[in-house]
Amino acid sequence: MFSSKPSVLACVSNQYDCDRVIEAAKKLAIEEDCELRVLTVIRPEADYTIISDQIEYLNLAAKEADADMTFIFRVDAADATAEFVTENNIHKIVTGLRDGGNSNSFLVELNRIAPDVEISLVDKDKTVYSIKHNA
């Protein structure tokens, strides 16, 4: 459901502990008087039964946070997310903070493709870090 009101986007993967991302995004959406949206980009596979329990769990977490959850089946998660951001009035993005990473990571690519959207990262201890863009 599209709203003209700005939204905070929780970007989650197929991991149970991504509920912390939804929780942090909900808090931010309330603070900023925004809608909450939840997105997961899933690589096209022949068998989704491996991740079905995790996805169902996160879908329920999204509903408990009064948010809709969108599933996009694409190989390039950063590109798919950037398109979603552009098409859905996304004000800020909240995602998990991964251990390690490289120059081709989701976060680096997303920041390159959508540099005007503020990104917050939630670590395993639920600490939130924000990436500030220089004007």
Side-chain angles (χ1 to χ4, degrees), residues 10-74:
C11 291
V12 299
S13 64
N14 58 346
Q15 299 172 23
Y16 288 110
D17 67 350
C18 282
D19 57 356
R20 75 186 192 282
V21 174
I22 297 170
E23 182 182 309
K26 174 67 174 182
K27 183 177 179 183
L28 184 60
I30 290 169
E31 289 172 0
E32 303 216 357
D33 192 30
C34 292
E35 299 288 330
L36 174 62
R37 307 284 304 269
V38 180
L39 173 69
T40 189
V41 179
I42 301 171
R43 293 180 66 86
E45 304 286 339
D47 181 9
Y48 296 102
T49 59
I50 298 168
I51 61 169
S52 62
D53 288 342
Q54 294 93 327
I55 295 302
E56 182 177 350
Y57 172 79
L58 292 171
N59 191 38
L60 289 172
K63 286 182 188 220
E64 288 178 6
D66 295 323
D68 65 319
M69 185 164 180
T70 301
F71 300 89
I72 298 176
F73 295 87
R74 295 259 294 271

Side-chain angles (χ1 to χ4, degrees), residues 57-128:
Y57 172 79
L58 292 171
N59 191 38
L60 289 172
K63 286 182 188 220
E64 288 178 6
D66 295 323
D68 65 319
M69 185 164 180
T70 301
F71 300 89
I72 298 176
F73 295 87
R74 295 259 294 271
V75 172
D76 188 339
D79 187 49
T81 303
E83 285 178 22
F84 188 87
V85 164
T86 301
E87 296 170 358
N88 290 280
N89 198 20
I90 302 300
H91 179 64
K92 293 187 177 183
I93 297 171
V94 179
T95 191
L97 179 61
R98 294 179 52 170
D99 296 330
N102 60 46
S103 61
N104 294 321
S105 73
F106 169 77
L107 183 60
V108 171
E109 278 300 300
L110 184 59
N111 194 39
R112 184 185 64 77
I113 295 169
D116 297 329
V117 179
E118 184 178 317
I119 301 172
S120 294
L121 308 167
V122 184
D123 70 11
K124 300 280 184 188
D125 295 326
K126 299 183 181 181
T127 302
V128 179

